[in-house]
mmCIF file with all atom_site columns, all heavy atoms in Angstrom:
data_model
loop_
_atom_site.group_PDB
_atom_site.id
_atom_site.type_symbol
_atom_site.label_atom_id
_atom_site.label_alt_id
_atom_site.label_comp_id
_atom_site.label_asym_id
_atom_site.label_entity_id
_atom_site.label_seq_id
_atom_site.pdbx_PDB_ins_code
_atom_site.Cartn_x
_atom_site.Cartn_y
_atom_site.Cartn_z
_atom_site.occupancy
_atom_site.B_iso_or_equiv
_atom_site.pdbx_formal_charge
_atom_site.auth_seq_id
_atom_site.auth_comp_id
_atom_site.auth_asym_id
_atom_site.auth_atom_id
_atom_site.pdbx_PDB_model_num
ATOM 1   N N   . MET A 1 160 ? 11.424 8.560  21.504 1.00 95.00 ? 440 MET A N   1
ATOM 2   C CA  . MET A 1 160 ? 12.443 7.914  20.936 1.00 95.00 ? 440 MET A CA  1
ATOM 3   C C   . MET A 1 160 ? 12.326 6.402  21.283 1.00 95.00 ? 440 MET A C   1
ATOM 4   O O   . MET A 1 160 ? 12.597 5.466  20.467 1.00 95.00 ? 440 MET A O   1
ATOM 5   C CB  . MET A 1 160 ? 13.830 8.471  21.233 1.00 95.00 ? 440 MET A CB  1
ATOM 6   C CG  . MET A 1 160 ? 13.937 9.988  20.709 1.00 95.00 ? 440 MET A CG  1
ATOM 7   S SD  . MET A 1 160 ? 13.879 10.142 18.874 1.00 95.00 ? 440 MET A SD  1
ATOM 8   C CE  . MET A 1 160 ? 15.456 9.159  18.428 1.00 95.00 ? 440 MET A CE  1
ATOM 9   N N   . ALA A 1 163 ? 8.568  4.768  20.468 1.00 92.00 ? 443 ALA A N   1
ATOM 10  C CA  . ALA A 1 163 ? 7.953  4.885  19.120 1.00 92.00 ? 443 ALA A CA  1
ATOM 11  C C   . ALA A 1 163 ? 8.913  4.906  17.980 1.00 92.00 ? 443 ALA A C   1
ATOM 12  O O   . ALA A 1 163 ? 8.585  4.416  16.897 1.00 92.00 ? 443 ALA A O   1
ATOM 13  C CB  . ALA A 1 163 ? 7.008  6.119  19.078 1.00 92.00 ? 443 ALA A CB  1
ATOM 14  N N   . VAL A 1 164 ? 10.041 5.550  18.113 1.00 92.00 ? 444 VAL A N   1
ATOM 15  C CA  . VAL A 1 164 ? 10.976 5.668  16.973 1.00 92.00 ? 444 VAL A CA  1
ATOM 16  C C   . VAL A 1 164 ? 11.912 4.484  16.829 1.00 92.00 ? 444 VAL A C   1
ATOM 17  O O   . VAL A 1 164 ? 12.108 4.037  15.759 1.00 92.00 ? 444 VAL A O   1
ATOM 18  C CB  . VAL A 1 164 ? 11.701 6.988  17.053 1.00 92.00 ? 444 VAL A CB  1
ATOM 19  C CG1 . VAL A 1 164 ? 12.775 7.116  15.984 1.00 92.00 ? 444 VAL A CG1 1
ATOM 20  C CG2 . VAL A 1 164 ? 10.745 8.191  17.164 1.00 92.00 ? 444 VAL A CG2 1
ATOM 21  N N   . ASP A 1 165 ? 12.458 4.043  17.843 1.00 89.00 ? 445 ASP A N   1
ATOM 22  C CA  . ASP A 1 165 ? 13.387 2.861  17.902 1.00 89.00 ? 445 ASP A CA  1
ATOM 23  C C   . ASP A 1 165 ? 12.725 1.617  17.317 1.00 89.00 ? 445 ASP A C   1
ATOM 24  O O   . ASP A 1 165 ? 11.617 1.359  17.688 1.00 89.00 ? 445 ASP A O   1
ATOM 25  C CB  . ASP A 1 165 ? 13.841 2.553  19.232 1.00 89.00 ? 445 ASP A CB  1
ATOM 26  C CG  . ASP A 1 165 ? 15.071 1.777  19.316 1.00 89.00 ? 445 ASP A CG  1
ATOM 27  O OD1 . ASP A 1 165 ? 15.160 0.771  18.428 1.00 89.00 ? 445 ASP A OD1 1
ATOM 28  O OD2 . ASP A 1 165 ? 15.918 1.784  20.215 1.00 89.00 ? 445 ASP A OD2 1
ATOM 29  N N   . SER A 1 166 ? 13.325 1.066  16.320 1.00 82.00 ? 446 SER A N   1
ATOM 30  C CA  . SER A 1 166 ? 12.615 -0.067 15.598 1.00 82.00 ? 446 SER A CA  1
ATOM 31  C C   . SER A 1 166 ? 12.413 -1.323 16.592 1.00 82.00 ? 446 SER A C   1
ATOM 32  O O   . SER A 1 166 ? 11.707 -2.255 16.248 1.00 82.00 ? 446 SER A O   1
ATOM 33  C CB  . SER A 1 166 ? 13.452 -0.485 14.456 1.00 82.00 ? 446 SER A CB  1
ATOM 34  O OG  . SER A 1 166 ? 14.723 -0.938 14.710 1.00 82.00 ? 446 SER A OG  1
ATOM 35  N N   . ARG A 1 167 ? 13.113 -1.300 17.677 1.00 85.00 ? 447 ARG A N   1
ATOM 36  C CA  . ARG A 1 167 ? 12.977 -2.456 18.628 1.00 85.00 ? 447 ARG A CA  1
ATOM 37  C C   . ARG A 1 167 ? 11.773 -2.233 19.592 1.00 85.00 ? 447 ARG A C   1
ATOM 38  O O   . ARG A 1 167 ? 11.664 -2.915 20.492 1.00 85.00 ? 447 ARG A O   1
ATOM 39  C CB  . ARG A 1 167 ? 14.283 -2.541 19.450 1.00 85.00 ? 447 ARG A CB  1
ATOM 40  C CG  . ARG A 1 167 ? 15.555 -2.839 18.512 1.00 85.00 ? 447 ARG A CG  1
ATOM 41  C CD  . ARG A 1 167 ? 16.781 -2.546 19.295 1.00 85.00 ? 447 ARG A CD  1
ATOM 42  N NE  . ARG A 1 167 ? 17.055 -1.293 19.557 1.00 85.00 ? 447 ARG A NE  1
ATOM 43  C CZ  . ARG A 1 167 ? 18.099 -0.765 20.216 1.00 85.00 ? 447 ARG A CZ  1
ATOM 44  N NH1 . ARG A 1 167 ? 19.048 -1.606 20.521 1.00 85.00 ? 447 ARG A NH1 1
ATOM 45  N NH2 . ARG A 1 167 ? 18.280 0.433  20.361 1.00 85.00 ? 447 ARG A NH2 1
ATOM 46  N N   . CYS A 1 168 ? 11.199 -1.054 19.442 1.00 79.00 ? 448 CYS A N   1
ATOM 47  C CA  . CYS A 1 168 ? 10.190 -0.724 20.451 1.00 79.00 ? 448 CYS A CA  1
ATOM 48  C C   . CYS A 1 168 ? 8.897  -1.488 20.315 1.00 79.00 ? 448 CYS A C   1
ATOM 49  O O   . CYS A 1 168 ? 8.609  -2.157 19.245 1.00 79.00 ? 448 CYS A O   1
ATOM 50  C CB  . CYS A 1 168 ? 9.745  0.760  20.358 1.00 79.00 ? 448 CYS A CB  1
ATOM 51  S SG  . CYS A 1 168 ? 8.809  1.160  18.828 1.00 79.00 ? 448 CYS A SG  1
ATOM 52  N N   . ARG A 1 169 ? 8.077  -1.591 21.411 1.00 69.00 ? 449 ARG A N   1
ATOM 53  C CA  . ARG A 1 169 ? 6.785  -2.172 21.320 1.00 69.00 ? 449 ARG A CA  1
ATOM 54  C C   . ARG A 1 169 ? 5.691  -0.974 20.901 1.00 69.00 ? 449 ARG A C   1
ATOM 55  O O   . ARG A 1 169 ? 5.212  -0.475 21.800 1.00 69.00 ? 449 ARG A O   1
ATOM 56  C CB  . ARG A 1 169 ? 6.406  -2.862 22.669 1.00 69.00 ? 449 ARG A CB  1
ATOM 57  C CG  . ARG A 1 169 ? 7.312  -4.014 23.085 1.00 69.00 ? 449 ARG A CG  1
ATOM 58  C CD  . ARG A 1 169 ? 7.022  -4.594 24.354 1.00 69.00 ? 449 ARG A CD  1
ATOM 59  N NE  . ARG A 1 169 ? 7.890  -5.654 24.656 1.00 69.00 ? 449 ARG A NE  1
ATOM 60  C CZ  . ARG A 1 169 ? 7.756  -6.941 24.410 1.00 69.00 ? 449 ARG A CZ  1
ATOM 61  N NH1 . ARG A 1 169 ? 6.640  -7.190 23.717 1.00 69.00 ? 449 ARG A NH1 1
ATOM 62  N NH2 . ARG A 1 169 ? 8.553  -7.800 24.786 1.00 69.00 ? 449 ARG A NH2 1
ATOM 63  N N   . TYR A 1 238 ? 19.493 9.847  22.965 1.00 96.00 ? 518 TYR A N   1
ATOM 64  C CA  . TYR A 1 238 ? 18.948 8.573  22.799 1.00 96.00 ? 518 TYR A CA  1
ATOM 65  C C   . TYR A 1 238 ? 19.662 7.666  21.783 1.00 96.00 ? 518 TYR A C   1
ATOM 66  O O   . TYR A 1 238 ? 20.028 6.530  22.000 1.00 96.00 ? 518 TYR A O   1
ATOM 67  C CB  . TYR A 1 238 ? 17.388 8.477  22.420 1.00 96.00 ? 518 TYR A CB  1
ATOM 68  C CG  . TYR A 1 238 ? 16.897 7.180  22.422 1.00 96.00 ? 518 TYR A CG  1
ATOM 69  C CD1 . TYR A 1 238 ? 16.371 6.688  23.635 1.00 96.00 ? 518 TYR A CD1 1
ATOM 70  C CD2 . TYR A 1 238 ? 16.782 6.410  21.208 1.00 96.00 ? 518 TYR A CD2 1
ATOM 71  C CE1 . TYR A 1 238 ? 15.826 5.317  23.596 1.00 96.00 ? 518 TYR A CE1 1
ATOM 72  C CE2 . TYR A 1 238 ? 16.446 5.113  21.225 1.00 96.00 ? 518 TYR A CE2 1
ATOM 73  C CZ  . TYR A 1 238 ? 15.926 4.540  22.332 1.00 96.00 ? 518 TYR A CZ  1
ATOM 74  O OH  . TYR A 1 238 ? 15.491 3.224  22.328 1.00 96.00 ? 518 TYR A OH  1
ATOM 75  N N   . PRO A 1 244 ? 20.090 2.809  18.048 1.00 75.00 ? 524 PRO A N   1
ATOM 76  C CA  . PRO A 1 244 ? 19.061 2.196  17.384 1.00 75.00 ? 524 PRO A CA  1
ATOM 77  C C   . PRO A 1 244 ? 19.372 2.041  15.948 1.00 75.00 ? 524 PRO A C   1
ATOM 78  O O   . PRO A 1 244 ? 18.580 1.434  15.117 1.00 75.00 ? 524 PRO A O   1
ATOM 79  C CB  . PRO A 1 244 ? 17.909 3.005  17.689 1.00 75.00 ? 524 PRO A CB  1
ATOM 80  C CG  . PRO A 1 244 ? 18.476 4.376  17.795 1.00 75.00 ? 524 PRO A CG  1
ATOM 81  C CD  . PRO A 1 244 ? 19.780 4.151  18.395 1.00 75.00 ? 524 PRO A CD  1
ATOM 82  N N   . ARG A 1 245 ? 20.408 2.682  15.415 1.00 65.00 ? 525 ARG A N   1
ATOM 83  C CA  . ARG A 1 245 ? 20.576 2.861  13.946 1.00 65.00 ? 525 ARG A CA  1
ATOM 84  C C   . ARG A 1 245 ? 20.882 1.367  13.241 1.00 65.00 ? 525 ARG A C   1
ATOM 85  O O   . ARG A 1 245 ? 20.677 1.198  12.040 1.00 65.00 ? 525 ARG A O   1
ATOM 86  C CB  . ARG A 1 245 ? 21.778 3.730  13.588 1.00 65.00 ? 525 ARG A CB  1
ATOM 87  C CG  . ARG A 1 245 ? 21.343 5.179  14.100 1.00 65.00 ? 525 ARG A CG  1
ATOM 88  C CD  . ARG A 1 245 ? 20.340 5.791  13.362 1.00 65.00 ? 525 ARG A CD  1
ATOM 89  N NE  . ARG A 1 245 ? 20.279 7.224  13.575 1.00 65.00 ? 525 ARG A NE  1
ATOM 90  C CZ  . ARG A 1 245 ? 19.529 8.173  12.919 1.00 65.00 ? 525 ARG A CZ  1
ATOM 91  N NH1 . ARG A 1 245 ? 18.980 7.660  11.854 1.00 65.00 ? 525 ARG A NH1 1
ATOM 92  N NH2 . ARG A 1 245 ? 19.476 9.281  13.197 1.00 65.00 ? 525 ARG A NH2 1
ATOM 93  N N   . GLY A 1 246 ? 21.359 0.525  14.087 1.00 55.00 ? 526 GLY A N   1
ATOM 94  C CA  . GLY A 1 246 ? 21.686 -0.841 13.512 1.00 55.00 ? 526 GLY A CA  1
ATOM 95  C C   . GLY A 1 246 ? 20.474 -1.591 13.070 1.00 55.00 ? 526 GLY A C   1
ATOM 96  O O   . GLY A 1 246 ? 20.590 -2.544 12.198 1.00 55.00 ? 526 GLY A O   1
ATOM 97  N N   . ALA A 1 247 ? 19.332 -1.416 13.703 1.00 51.00 ? 527 ALA A N   1
ATOM 98  C CA  . ALA A 1 247 ? 18.190 -2.202 13.353 1.00 51.00 ? 527 ALA A CA  1
ATOM 99  C C   . ALA A 1 247 ? 17.444 -1.651 12.157 1.00 51.00 ? 527 ALA A C   1
ATOM 100 O O   . ALA A 1 247 ? 17.550 -0.393 12.011 1.00 51.00 ? 527 ALA A O   1
ATOM 101 C CB  . ALA A 1 247 ? 17.168 -2.061 14.590 1.00 51.00 ? 527 ALA A CB  1
ATOM 102 N N   . GLU A 1 248 ? 16.746 -2.511 11.445 1.00 46.00 ? 528 GLU A N   1
ATOM 103 C CA  . GLU A 1 248 ? 16.140 -2.095 10.290 1.00 46.00 ? 528 GLU A CA  1
ATOM 104 C C   . GLU A 1 248 ? 14.662 -1.558 10.553 1.00 46.00 ? 528 GLU A C   1
ATOM 105 O O   . GLU A 1 248 ? 14.055 -2.048 11.578 1.00 46.00 ? 528 GLU A O   1
ATOM 106 C CB  . GLU A 1 248 ? 16.029 -3.099 9.193  1.00 46.00 ? 528 GLU A CB  1
ATOM 107 C CG  . GLU A 1 248 ? 17.364 -3.489 8.628  1.00 46.00 ? 528 GLU A CG  1
ATOM 108 C CD  . GLU A 1 248 ? 17.267 -4.690 7.654  1.00 46.00 ? 528 GLU A CD  1
ATOM 109 O OE1 . GLU A 1 248 ? 16.112 -5.131 7.375  1.00 46.00 ? 528 GLU A OE1 1
ATOM 110 O OE2 . GLU A 1 248 ? 18.239 -5.103 7.188  1.00 46.00 ? 528 GLU A OE2 1
ATOM 111 N N   . GLY A 1 249 ? 14.191 -0.665 9.804  1.00 43.00 ? 529 GLY A N   1
ATOM 112 C CA  . GLY A 1 249 ? 12.740 -0.178 9.991  1.00 43.00 ? 529 GLY A CA  1
ATOM 113 C C   . GLY A 1 249 ? 12.564 0.870  11.054 1.00 43.00 ? 529 GLY A C   1
ATOM 114 O O   . GLY A 1 249 ? 13.608 1.270  11.720 1.00 43.00 ? 529 GLY A O   1
ATOM 115 N N   . GLU A 1 250 ? 11.405 1.206  11.385 1.00 46.00 ? 530 GLU A N   1
ATOM 116 C CA  . GLU A 1 250 ? 11.160 2.210  12.344 1.00 46.00 ? 530 GLU A CA  1
ATOM 117 C C   . GLU A 1 250 ? 9.674  2.067  12.751 1.00 46.00 ? 530 GLU A C   1
ATOM 118 O O   . GLU A 1 250 ? 8.818  1.964  12.033 1.00 46.00 ? 530 GLU A O   1
ATOM 119 C CB  . GLU A 1 250 ? 11.349 3.703  11.759 1.00 46.00 ? 530 GLU A CB  1
ATOM 120 C CG  . GLU A 1 250 ? 11.156 4.712  12.596 1.00 46.00 ? 530 GLU A CG  1
ATOM 121 C CD  . GLU A 1 250 ? 11.543 6.092  12.075 1.00 46.00 ? 530 GLU A CD  1
ATOM 122 O OE1 . GLU A 1 250 ? 12.667 6.326  11.766 1.00 46.00 ? 530 GLU A OE1 1
ATOM 123 O OE2 . GLU A 1 250 ? 10.615 6.921  11.906 1.00 46.00 ? 530 GLU A OE2 1
ATOM 124 N N   . CYS A 1 251 ? 9.531  2.203  14.102 1.00 47.00 ? 531 CYS A N   1
ATOM 125 C CA  . CYS A 1 251 ? 8.145  2.153  14.534 1.00 47.00 ? 531 CYS A CA  1
ATOM 126 C C   . CYS A 1 251 ? 7.382  3.401  14.340 1.00 47.00 ? 531 CYS A C   1
ATOM 127 O O   . CYS A 1 251 ? 7.946  4.480  14.400 1.00 47.00 ? 531 CYS A O   1
ATOM 128 C CB  . CYS A 1 251 ? 8.169  1.781  16.038 1.00 47.00 ? 531 CYS A CB  1
ATOM 129 S SG  . CYS A 1 251 ? 8.700  0.083  16.491 1.00 47.00 ? 531 CYS A SG  1
#
Side-chain angles (χ1 to χ4, degrees):
M440 296 296 292
V444 175
D445 192 328
S446 62
R447 299 164 294 183
C448 70
R449 298 179 180 271
Y518 185 84
R525 299 293 190 162
E528 296 181 359
E530 179 174 299
C531 284

